[in-house]
Amino acid sequence: FDAARRQSHLASPHDPDQLEEWGKKIGSVYQRQKELEQKAEAEAQAEKGRLAMQAMGAMVFQTAHRLMNLTQSIRSLSIHIEGAGSDGERETRLSELFKLIDSSSDVIKRPMEIARQMKEINPRPHKLHSLIDEVRSEADIRSLSPRARIEARIPQDIVVLVDRDLILEAFRNVVHNAMKAMPDGGALTISGALSDDAREARITFADTGVGMSAEQIRAAKSGFVTTQRGTGLGVLVSLLLLRAQNGNLDIEGAPGKGTTVTITLPVGIQ
């Protein structure tokens, strides 16, 4: 009897009907898991697309505002060219004017390029210091506050996982606002560091400009504020573009004490 029971116990796991039942249960759990993963991925992509489209809408208004600023800068340079005291000064001013004209074309083209990019956000590893250097050297940003200086303190080894065009536009908006907040000169210090768990990069943009109140900060994130920093659309655009690629943005500041914008981005491997 004991031998028969042992034989029955050993044989039961190999019963075809039982194996088929287990297989169906395992297959059902696996299929359900795949469906949940696919649903979550689809929802995440839909959310990114929604954020990107909101950013695109805000950029339409922002582009018009930037073109107005560039027009004013071009008009100012034209006056300086007419009153230049030497050929050397005139040549310098003409060179600045041509750079601004080129920048005007870039301002118009950027929203169209980003609109194409938004169809499929494609994060790739990029050196953070290279992205920051590219933005801070742009002529239209320098023209906003010629007496203000931009200092970058970004470690060479920080790599972020981002869509290049979208992150450049996000950085561009933050720097643009900081420069406008320092019409009489000042300093914008851009610093970078890894989080304690090394999964995120934290980039701070600290300016010595006019600052922002808590109410202005809240309004800026919604795009409904007009201050010496601009229309507030730049903050909203940056926030939307960052969230569309798993990043975020926070603002701290006080009137008369400058403003610090902190951006967090996922770390990449290069």
Side-chain angles (χ1 to χ4, degrees):
F1 175 75
D2 290 339
R5 186 171 60 182
R6 286 196 299 271
Q7 184 178 3
S8 173
H9 176 71
L10 291 171
S12 61
H14 303 287
D15 179 73
D17 292 337
Q18 192 173 30
L19 288 174
E20 182 178 354
E21 182 180 351
W22 287 351
K24 287 180 179 179
K25 289 181 178 179
I26 294 172
S28 177
V29 170
Y30 177 77
Q31 182 63 30
R32 178 59 177 163
Q33 181 64 29
K34 291 295 292 181
E35 289 174 355
L36 290 173
E37 290 176 357
Q38 291 171 357
K39 181 181 179 182
E41 184 178 351
E43 289 175 349
Q45 286 299 115
E47 175 65 8
K48 288 180 180 180
R50 185 183 67 82
L51 292 170
M53 287 303 102
Q54 288 180 4
M56 189 62 207
M59 285 181 66
V60 172
F61 295 97
Q62 185 188 52
T63 298
H65 183 72
R66 285 187 176 176
L67 285 174
M68 287 177 60
N69 289 336
L70 282 169
T71 301
Q72 292 173 359
S73 296
I74 289 172
R75 184 180 296 114
S76 176
L77 270 175
S78 299
I79 294 173
H80 284 299
I81 290 170
E82 289 179 359
S86 65
D87 290 342
E89 182 184 354
R90 187 175 294 105
E91 288 295 326
T92 299
R93 297 295 188 183
L94 280 171
S95 177
E96 293 174 2
L97 178 62
F98 293 147
K99 287 180 180 179
L100 282 178
I101 292 172
D102 290 340
S103 295
S104 300
S105 299
D106 291 338
V107 166
I108 295 170
K109 288 188 290 186
R110 277 177 202 150
M112 294 185 289
E113 292 171 354
I114 289 175
R116 288 194 292 269
Q117 194 73 18
M118 284 176 178
K119 294 179 181 178
E120 185 176 351
I121 297 173
N122 187 24
R124 293 183 181 276
H126 292 279
K127 289 280 191 180
L128 178 60
H129 73 89
S130 297
L131 297 170
I132 294 296
D133 285 346
E134 183 171 347
V135 170
R136 70 190 186 115
S137 64
E138 293 179 357
D140 60 324
I141 285 178
R142 289 287 184 179
S143 69
L144 293 170
S145 182
R147 287 184 288 176
R149 65 185 187 277
I150 304 176
E151 301 176 359
R153 302 169 183 172
I154 309 293
Q156 299 284 313
D157 59 345
I158 294 182
V159 176
V160 289
L161 187 63
V162 293
D163 184 294
R164 181 181 176 278
D165 290 339
L166 300 190
I167 198 61
L168 285 176
E169 186 62 21
F171 287 162
R172 190 176 287 120
N173 279 295
V174 173
V175 175
H176 190 277
N177 278 357
M179 297 298 279
K180 287 198 68 178
M182 302 182 290
D184 299 322
L188 169 62
T189 303
I190 307 173
S191 306
L194 293 178
S195 59
D196 293 338
D197 60 7
R199 293 184 178 181
E200 289 183 334
R202 292 174 181 163
I203 308 99
T204 59
F205 300 76
D207 68 57
T208 59
V210 297
M212 298 178 74
S213 67
E215 182 180 354
Q216 288 172 330
I217 290 172
R218 285 193 298 271
K221 290 183 176 181
S222 301
F224 299 107
V225 62
T226 301
T227 70
Q228 285 177 269
R229 298 176 67 88
T231 63
L233 286 172
V235 174
L236 176 61
V237 170
S238 292
L239 182 60
L240 292 170
L241 292 177
L242 289 164
R243 287 181 176 173
Q245 47 191 326
N246 301 317
N248 209 346
L249 176 151
D250 195 23
I251 307 173
E252 295 179 352
K257 296 184 178 180
T259 302
T260 298
V261 176
T262 301
I263 288 176
T264 55
L265 293 169
V267 168
I269 299 175
Q270 192 174 58

